[in-house]
């Protein structure tokens, strides 16, 4: 479907989800044995869960932040970094992931719409600060010194980051590509319809059909570590 069309592609928006980091050893959210198997979503990914039991939530995110040291980017992350370097058009890489594997894979411009494990949000002064250690011990905010840090991630019921910039890019892109996401969580799940309504071609790369597969012009099924490098090669060869 994309053959012959790629030459006309000047603006690409890419959305990634947990599936792109699965082969690096980070559990996806909805897989058997995934994160939500050990913890209820309501307990660890809502503001209400944090208010009820902050220690449980801070510990959960401290452990996930520490676990980043034991994983590495895979060929899918590296391929998207190559695309950023070599594609002559405009590229916006939006990830729902809170890990740092895109950056470690070589991508310099990544928009983390659900926040980042390596960032802290102060509930007192609302400033975001780079964060690499633990929060369970209630360290002071680097900006206002209050002991009121929380993980800088977007929980259910909260507004994802950079929505204005993302919707503006979806209005003008020629191609929207969704990689390794189940299409179960909004607003990201609605990006494909937004892009299509504005005239973009749409492509899904996922291990298996997702909840939103039928919304895409084209879907390819298989592991991201294989599909993404193949697709990047096609784009750069066009
Ligand atoms: C592979 C692979 C391999 C595996 N290769 N692929 C009713 C209807 C509609 C909406 C709502 C509703 N009720 C409430 C809402 C809104 C709510 C929502 O969507 N709820 C749903 C449950 C229905 N959304 C929100 O509250 C959001 N905020 C919001 O809507 O604000 C208002 C607003 C209004 C208007 C405009 C904008 C905003 C906030 C959502 C925050 C989500 N947060 C989390 C946690 C982040 C922190 C953390 O990590 O702990 O984000 S939840 C979790 O899900 C995480 C993920 O980013 C997100 C998406 O998951 P993802 O990435 O898709 O992972 P999986 O596991 O679901 O799928 C993995 C896929 O990979 C699978 O398909 C596999 O097949 C595939 N795969 N191996 C390729 N090797």
């Amino acid at each position: 479907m994309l053959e012959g069309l790629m030459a006309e592609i000047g603006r690409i928006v890419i959305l990634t989800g947990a599936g792109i980091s699965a082969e690096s050893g980070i559990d996806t959210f909805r897989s058997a044995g995934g994160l939500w198997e050990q913890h209820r979503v309501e307990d660890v990914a809502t503001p209400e869960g944090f208010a009820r039991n902050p220690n449980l939530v801070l510990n959960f995110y401290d452990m996930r932040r520490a676990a980043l040291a034991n994983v590495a980017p895979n060929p899918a992350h590296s391929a998207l970094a190559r695309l950023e370097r070599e594609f002559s058009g405009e590229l916006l890489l939006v990830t729902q992931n809170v890990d740092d594997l895109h950056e470690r894979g070589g991508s310099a411009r990544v928009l983390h719409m659900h926040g980042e494990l390596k960032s802290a949000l102060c509930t007192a002064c609302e400033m975001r600060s780079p964060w690499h250690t633990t929060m369970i011990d209630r360290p002071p905010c680097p900006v206002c010194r209050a002991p009121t840090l929380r993980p800088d991630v977007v929980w259910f019921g909260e507004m994802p980051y950079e929505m204005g910039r993302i919707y503006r890019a979806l209005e003008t892109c020629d191609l929207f590509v969704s990689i390794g996401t189940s299409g179960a969580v909004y607003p990201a799940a609605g990006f494909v319809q937004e892009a299509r309504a504005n005239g973009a071609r749409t492509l899904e790369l996922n291990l298996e059909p997702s909840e939103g597969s039928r919304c895409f012009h084209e879907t390819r099924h298989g592991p991201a570590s294989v599909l993404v490098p193949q697709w990047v090669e096609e784009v750069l060869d066009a």
Side-chain angles (χ1 to χ4, degrees), residues 18 23 29-30 61 64 96 114 154 157-158 181-182 186 206 224:
E23 291 163 84
F29 295 93
R30 287 156 190 90
Y61 284 95
R64 289 176 58 196
Q96 298 169 85
H114 290 165
V154 178
E158 297 183 326
T181 175
S182 60
Y186 287 84
N206 206 54

Side-chain angles (χ1 to χ4, degrees), residues 223-237:
S225 65
V226 175
L227 294 185
V228 178
Q230 273 172 1
W231 170 71
V232 166
E233 197 75 43
E234 281 171 38
V235 175
L236 295 176
D237 278 354

